[in-house]
Amino acid sequence: MNKVTASAPGKMILLGEHSVVYGKPAVALAIDRRIKCTVSASSELLVNGRKASGTIAHPHIRSVLKDNGAANVSVDAVTDIPTSSGLGSSAALSASFSLAVRKLFGRETDEESIAADAFNAEYTAQGRASPMDTSVCTHGGGVALNCPIGRHLWTFSKGGNSWDVTEVDVPHMTFVVGYTGIHAPTGPIVERVRKYKEHNRFASDIIDEIGAITLEGVQAMAKNDTEHLGRLMTQNHKLLSILGVSCDQLNKLVNASLPLSYGAKLTGSGGGGSMIALTDQPEKVCEAIALRGGVPMIVHTGIPGVRLEE
């Protein structure tokens, strides 16, 4: 075998942003936007036909290669996951590339090994990360961290932290993602929440409440209760706004979506990036988001994880 193609889905965080940092549960869902990697043997590292220059270029790719005892391949990647949108483009790249490399070099291709490769790649590239994004891009469907509900998948430890990853039941649902076009680095936003929590008991109470909402949302999904889930999403957004991690443009897109949706909220660290709306009127929600300057896209859940492609 001299060429392997694999793909992995993007993701969105449904509930639990920021509170997950403090041991509370969070849930992420795979979406039907994918990245596809074709990997073949090469005497030098080539990415989309170009030589990877410098030792720090393409850190995700280099990390996966190192973990698999390889140095050089040719990789061609095609994606319909927007970058810097909070939809898991780098996690999906890491997972799909891991599967392709492992298959090419005759290594084990079980999900846990791929998820470990992808998590290491994210951690190496970002300096800090949780395994939630890479786990859902690997496994598909829905995964949770710090959640007593669901089937245990794996446990990862790094940097003095440990995470239990579980699979949760996810029905087929339709969401509209609204991208603000604003790129806001995660680190400073997480740090701002930490300082707020340290100096204000109210912030700690909000984080506890987000954790409780997330558990309730997992139960609502298991019952396919979209109305209840939507209400919890909206409540989660209000709490995140109080924590100071939303922004005017996110709030505009959420408010525009709510009359046409079961619920809506920011997804990810906030400050920009994207929001999501759970709806059975996706075209109308797209129009409302576009009218307020957002870039909409319709996505669906219940999506398979990393897989080989023809």
Side-chain angles (χ1 to χ4, degrees):
M1 182 177 297
N2 56 16
K3 182 181 289 188
V4 178
T5 299
S7 74
K11 62 83 197 178
M12 60 185 184
I13 298 179
L14 180 67
L15 296 165
E17 294 92 336
H18 289 283
S19 65
V20 71
V21 175
Y22 303 98
K24 308 300 179 183
V27 179
L29 308 181
I31 59 174
D32 57 345
R33 294 267 176 150
R34 301 184 77 87
I35 188 167
K36 183 185 291 186
C37 283
T38 299
V39 178
S40 56
S42 174
S43 60
E44 57 186 352
L45 180 56
L46 301 174
V47 179
N48 289 339
R50 301 182 65 178
K51 185 175 180 179
S53 58
T55 57
I56 62 172
H58 308 291
H60 297 81
I61 288 172
R62 292 182 186 276
S63 174
V64 171
L65 288 172
K66 181 180 178 181
D67 285 348
N68 286 278
N72 295 318
V73 294
S74 174
V75 54
D76 291 289
V78 178
T79 184
D80 58 6
I81 306 170
T83 58
S84 302
S85 61
L87 298 180
S89 59
S90 63
L93 169 66
S94 300
S96 58
F97 183 64
S98 170
L99 173 54
V101 166
R102 284 177 167 273
K103 187 70 174 179
L104 184 69
F105 291 104
R107 296 177 61 84
E108 294 292 331
T109 57
D110 60 286
E111 281 191 354
E112 184 170 352
S113 296
I114 294 166
D117 281 354
F119 174 44
N120 286 338
E122 286 277 271
Y123 200 95
T124 299
Q126 297 178 11
R128 58 195 299 176
S130 87
M132 184 160 64
D133 290 4
T134 46
S135 290
V136 75
C137 291
T138 299
H139 183 68
V143 305
L145 295 187
N146 309 328
C147 185
I149 304 170
R151 181 177 68 85
H152 178 76
L153 290 174
W154 41 72
T155 300
F156 291 139
S157 299
K158 192 175 285 289
N161 295 309
S162 182
W163 300 269
D164 286 322
V165 182
T166 56
E167 175 189 45
V168 295
D169 292 330
V170 181
H172 290 278
M173 298 181 287
T174 300
F175 288 81
V176 174
V177 177
Y179 178 44
T180 64
I182 301 168
H183 177 56
T186 299
I189 298 172
V190 172
E191 179 64 13
R192 190 162 70 239
V193 172
R194 184 189 67 79
K195 289 181 178 178
Y196 186 21
K197 181 179 181 294
E198 281 186 355
H199 295 95
N200 194 315
R201 173 66 191 178
F202 182 49
S204 294
D205 292 341
I206 291 172
I207 286 167
D208 290 342
E209 189 172 351
I210 291 173
I213 285 171
T214 302
L215 284 178
E216 199 172 339
V218 171
Q219 295 167 334
M221 276 199 303
K223 298 174 183 176
N224 199 12
D225 189 345
T226 51
E227 291 187 4
H228 189 195
L229 179 60
R231 289 193 295 270
L232 294 169
M233 289 172 57
T234 303
Q235 189 176 354
N236 193 173
H237 180 76
K238 291 176 180 177
L239 294 171
L240 289 168
S241 296
I242 294 170
L243 281 180
V245 301
S246 190
C247 66
D248 288 345
Q249 185 61 7
L250 278 170
N251 290 337
K252 284 180 183 178
L253 300 186
V254 167
N255 292 335
S257 303
L258 281 174
L260 303 161
S261 306
Y262 296 110
K265 62 180 288 292
L266 67 85
T267 183
S269 59
S274 299
M275 51 71 64
I276 56 175
L278 174 59
T279 182
D280 55 12
Q281 303 180 75
E283 290 80 10
K284 291 182 179 179
V285 174
C286 284
E287 291 176 8
I289 287 173
L291 282 172
R292 285 158 181 82
V295 179
M297 66 187 85
I298 299 170
V299 300
H300 301 91
T301 61
I303 302 304
V306 68
R307 67 190 181 195
L308 294 171
E309 303 283 357
E310 295 295 330

